[in-house]
Amino acid sequence: MKTLIIAEHNQHDLKADTLVTLGAAQQLGQPIDVFIAGHDIGQLGQDAASVGGIDQVLTWDHEALAMSFSETLAPVIANLRSQYSHILLASSSFGKDLAPRIAALCGVNAVSDVIDIISANQYKRPIYAGNAIATVQNNAACQVLTIRTSAFSAPSHEPAASPAHIQALSIELPDMSVRFVEQTLSESSRPELNSADIIVSGGRAVGSEANFSLIYDFADKLGAAVGASRAAVDAGYIGNDLQVGQTGKVVAPSVYIAIGISGAIQHLAGMKDSKVIVAINNDPEAPIFSVADYGLVADLFEAVPAMTAHL
Amino acid sequence: MTNHPLKVIVAVKRVIDYNVKVRVKADRSDVDLSNTKMSMNPFCEIAVEEAVRLKEAGLVGEIVVVSIGPKSCQEQIRSALALGADRGLQVECDTPVSPLDVANILHKIQQEENADIFLLGKQSIDADNNQTGQMLAALLDFPQATCASRVKIEHNKAIVTREVDGGLLTVEMSLPAVITTDLRLNEPRFAALPKIMQAKRKPLAVKTLADLAIELTTDIELISVDSPTQRQAGVILSSVDELMSTLRNDPNVQMPKHDKEA
Ligand SMILES: Cc1cc2nc3c(=O)[nH]c(=O)nc-3n(C[C@H](O)[C@H](O)[C@H](O)COP(=O)(O)OP(=O)(O)OC[C@H]3O[C@@H](n4cnc5c(N)ncnc54)[C@H](O)[C@@H]3O)c2cc1C
Ligand SMILES: Nc1ncnc2c1ncn2[C@@H]1O[C@H](COP(=O)(O)O)[C@@H](O)[C@H]1O
């Protein structure tokens, strides 16, 4: 049997998450096809075909797919199920929205947030905000999985010797019950949270949107991405897309620097697999210190500018 | 307005309280929930609150709250009734249910209820699946808006702002539809004592899986549950200088070049 990966892209490039999902899929040791839906994706399809490790690229190109919704994609993907034993998506907001919709149409449960592929039907996944790790066996004929990308890596790049076969699907577009209204994407020249080597995160203690400049200045000197706790996002200091935690992004950089963050279990769920954790907090009892490799008990308004000055 | 008052079904799950840290059982069969404080899943509380606000705004006529689980989940149904839901339905089930089971059950319930909006949490904080709402929408062939941080209902449409990886995405869906809630949609109220008393008299029906002709899925088997590897607390350093030089000397840390020394 074969594995199908549902690609995520911005109409020009595959997202890093999709390449990591390819890395995970390779552990299943069977041929891999990639499904790409979008508008004007001829070049994207060719780029995907030359990535290496891919058997076949399925493209579905339609003007109406410039913004593709799960309602449209799920039935088309579910219809391909007889050819695939595994359908993989990244555990991104795109993947989490789409995978269960595909699974239900196939009449199966999905396995969310796979962090370890033990065999072709056994997986590990975190439950209870990562405070327990479940090993599950999936007995479905077609298994739908979402891959937690912080736990896998992209295949080391070896471009295909000859490009994969590209198959253009021609499928009629059903009526759409969802309409795009608007999108506010955060523009940032900083590294992305998901792939950054260093992350500097600020919490409630940063105190205001303006004060976050302390965090940005420090991060920029380090070449780091910026993250935040839920409290900082809720207070409006920073955008929702930068929340780290059980219900935000899950990250595992080489270095995670938590500044003015207490270390609630829901926050730890998103960062405790970082290689090195640094915490700066003025409360020596803050729970974050129990997971930090290096701690500094200090007022962040003094410590952070001093650290920036060091760089 | 010529529109009929809308009917909303809210699905609520009884889970371990979010403040409690779980323990894994010694035999690794599951987590140990004996003598543990249980509560309504926080995302479900947000779903109930949103339904109540829509009712207060005159857009919704009736709120039905459904929970699937053992008798104890009636506690969470009563909490939702105290917050303003009109009637409850417990689907009795003593074994754990999968997201597809819950979606199948809600699908069946919809055949009798004909709701216009389903409000679910985006995720249950015990199983962390983030699947049920999407599955229900698939089975019903309804549009879905997951991770909602803003919901507006007008002219038989739902305009929903969703929290997505890159920021916010707003979509418009025709009703009926499924909406799953994210943390910033609203801040749930606390139920006042008189409301808690009133809630005891609100109707709460009980159905069995047999009543609904539901058979539970068996495709996912739980093999074992383990504690994650624990991190050890490291060292507390005494100054910014010491912290920075420690970081520079840690082989796992790639700090940018020191300008002043370069
Ligand atoms: C269902 C659910 C899901 C959740 N999901 C998430 C999630 O995904 N991510 C997340 O982060 N949270 C999440 N939370 C919230 C979480 O429980 C905590 O409330 C949140 O992480 C707290 O954020 P914080 O550490 O910034 O704030 P606080 O807990 O208020 O901590 C602030 C810290 O700053 C320190 N401090 C104060 N002043 C200074 C100073 N001048 N210098 C240095 N330190 C200072 C304090 O000692 C304190 O430790 C979730 C909660 C629920 C119920
Ligand atoms: N046993 C249950 N009873 C009622 N609703 C449930 C149940 N399980 C899940 N749900 C609903 O589905 C949402 C998402 O759950 P999950 O897909 O398990 O993460 C929850 O927030 C609830 O709204």
Side-chain angles (χ1 to χ4, degrees):
Chain A
M1 281 298 255
K2 297 199 285 180
T3 301
L4 181 67
I5 294 175
I6 313 305
E8 216 178 319
H9 58 85
N10 59 8
Q11 316 292 331
H12 305 291
D13 299 298
L14 291 179
K15 292 227 167 127
D17 278 356
T18 297
L19 295 173
V20 175
T21 306
L22 175 63
Q26 288 181 331
Q27 296 187 14
L28 293 166
Q30 50 185 18
I32 298 168
D33 289 0
V34 174
F35 174 94
I36 313 177
H39 177 222
D40 245 342
I41 50 166
Q43 185 60 46
L44 182 61
Q46 286 179 22
D47 292 348
S50 61
V51 163
I54 298 173
D55 213 43
Q56 200 180 191
V57 176
L58 312 178
T59 57
W60 184 23
D61 198 330
H62 193 291
E63 191 178 29
L65 295 173
M67 172 67 70
S68 41
F69 292 110
S70 300
E71 289 83 342
T72 320
L73 300 183
V76 171
I77 297 164
N79 266 337
L80 299 169
R81 67 178 170 275
S82 60
Q83 301 168 46
Y84 299 98
S85 59
H86 295 74
I87 300 179
L88 268 61
L89 299 87
S91 292
S92 55
S93 50
F94 171 84
K96 286 177 182 164
D97 192 70
L98 177 56
R101 192 149 182 138
I102 298 170
L105 295 178
C106 299
V108 301
N109 280 291
V111 179
S112 308
D113 282 317
V114 169
I115 55 168
D116 190 8
I117 297 176
I118 303 168
S119 70
N121 66 357
Q122 286 201 4
Y123 312 97
K124 287 192 185 198
R125 61 177 300 262
I127 52 177
Y128 294 90
N131 287 301
I133 306 293
T135 301
V136 296
Q137 177 162 319
N138 188 343
N139 302 316
C142 180
Q143 304 185 35
V144 180
L145 314 177
T146 64
I147 299 296
R148 179 171 283 192
T149 50
S150 60
F152 293 90
S153 24
S156 42
H157 253 348
E158 231 173 85
S162 61
H165 177 248
I166 301 179
Q167 190 194 339
L169 304 174
S170 90
I171 300 162
E172 240 181 89
L173 206 75
D175 282 347
M176 292 212 264
S177 47
V178 183
R179 199 176 63 79
F180 169 79
V181 178
E182 65 172 338
Q183 178 159 249
T184 355
L185 296 184
S186 340
E187 298 285 337
S188 165
S189 50
R190 294 189 183 91
E192 278 196 46
L193 264 182
N194 286 349
S195 49
D197 195 45
I198 308 181
I199 295 175
V200 179
S201 272
R204 190 197 310 273
V206 175
S208 70
E209 191 179 355
N211 286 351
F212 247 86
S213 63
L214 286 177
I215 305 288
Y216 296 133
D217 290 347
F218 180 46
D220 289 346
K221 279 279 180 75
L222 279 173
V226 169
S229 71
R230 174 190 170 187
V233 175
D234 283 3
Y237 305 162
I238 191 164
N240 65 283
D241 51 307
L242 299 180
Q243 177 178 319
V244 172
Q246 179 187 17
T247 54
K249 299 232 158 71
V250 178
V251 297
S254 312
V255 188
Y256 187 90
I257 308 179
I259 299 174
I261 291 178
S262 60
I265 50 174
Q266 294 87 3
H267 188 80
L268 301 185
M271 45 64 80
K272 69 180 163 51
D273 293 327
S274 306
K275 254 198 222 101
V276 174
I277 296 176
V278 181
I280 298 162
N281 196 300
N282 64 4
D283 173 8
E285 302 298 319
I288 189 81
F289 287 125
S290 68
V291 299
D293 300 283
Y294 303 120
L296 183 66
V297 180
D299 182 344
L300 74 91
F301 297 100
E302 286 164 20
V304 176
M307 290 167 75
T308 309
H310 253 270
L311 294 166
Chain B
M1 262 200 344
T2 54
N3 291 343
H4 69 286
L6 302 171
K7 186 195 254 191
V8 177
I9 293 182
V10 186
V12 304
K13 186 176 184 187
R14 174 183 170 89
V15 297
I16 186 171
D17 187 85
Y18 82 96
N19 272 316
V20 179
K21 195 158 185 227
V22 295
R23 298 173 307 271
V24 171
K25 287 186 187 167
D27 68 359
R28 301 172 57 214
S29 61
D30 206 338
V31 297
D32 186 359
L33 292 181
S34 52
N35 304 316
T36 305
K37 183 175 178 214
M38 303 293 279
S39 299
M40 195 190 302
N41 184 39
F43 292 99
C44 301
E45 282 189 321
I46 295 171
V48 173
E49 175 67 31
E50 195 63 18
V52 173
R53 290 187 189 188
L54 290 171
K55 190 174 178 198
E56 286 168 347
L59 295 157
V60 161
E62 187 183 26
I63 303 169
V64 183
V65 45
V66 180
S67 190
I68 299 141
K71 184 146 203 258
S72 51
C73 76
Q74 290 191 7
E75 231 180 276
Q76 279 62 47
I77 298 180
R78 290 285 172 209
S79 314
L81 295 173
L83 292 170
D86 297 294
R87 67 186 160 91
L89 171 60
Q90 180 217 349
V91 178
E92 178 78 35
C93 182
D94 289 324
T95 51
V97 283
S98 72
L100 186 57
D101 292 327
V102 177
N104 280 331
I105 291 167
L106 294 173
H107 182 200
K108 270 280 163 58
I109 291 172
Q110 171 67 351
Q111 287 162 10
E112 284 176 30
E113 296 282 353
N114 260 311
D116 303 281
I117 301 173
F118 275 89
L119 270 166
L120 282 79
K122 80 160 175 183
Q123 168 176 349
S124 40
I125 61 159
D126 50 359
D128 283 333
N129 288 313
N130 195 335
Q131 293 186 25
T132 307
Q134 298 88 310
M135 290 189 152
L136 174 64
L139 299 177
L140 293 166
D141 199 19
F142 286 1
Q144 68 190 41
T146 52
C147 309
S149 65
R150 190 160 165 269
V151 171
K152 219 168 112 193
I153 306 291
E154 54 184 36
H155 309 301
N156 225 35
K157 288 197 156 63
I159 297 118
V160 181
T161 302
R162 304 177 45 217
E163 296 205 1
V164 295
D165 283 343
L168 297 171
L169 170 66
T170 304
V171 296
E172 181 187 275
M173 311 184 285
S174 50
L175 298 182
V178 176
I179 298 172
T180 75
T181 60
D182 214 320
L183 292 171
R184 278 167 284 276
L185 180 57
N186 60 48
E187 241 179 84
R189 70 194 69 188
F190 291 99
L193 193 59
K195 295 254 162 100
I196 296 175
M197 300 312 287
Q198 276 169 24
K200 295 195 169 136
R201 291 190 304 273
K202 289 188 178 174
L204 196 170
V206 179
K207 286 198 174 169
T208 63
L209 295 178
D211 293 339
L212 297 168
I214 291 282
E215 267 189 58
L216 297 182
T217 57
T218 55
D219 53 358
I220 310 283
E221 265 177 74
L222 183 62
I223 305 287
S224 62
V225 175
D226 294 283
S227 293
T229 36
Q230 297 295 330
R231 281 190 92 100
Q232 298 301 317
V235 288
I236 298 286
L237 302 164
S238 61
S239 67
V240 166
D241 291 349
E242 201 191 341
L243 173 59
M244 294 304 277
S245 65
T246 308
L247 288 177
R248 281 184 206 286
N249 291 325
D250 186 319
N252 287 316
V253 180
Q254 298 289 318
M255 296 280 275
K257 288 242 169 348
H258 202 313
D259 286 342
K260 286 171 200 157
E261 281 170 10

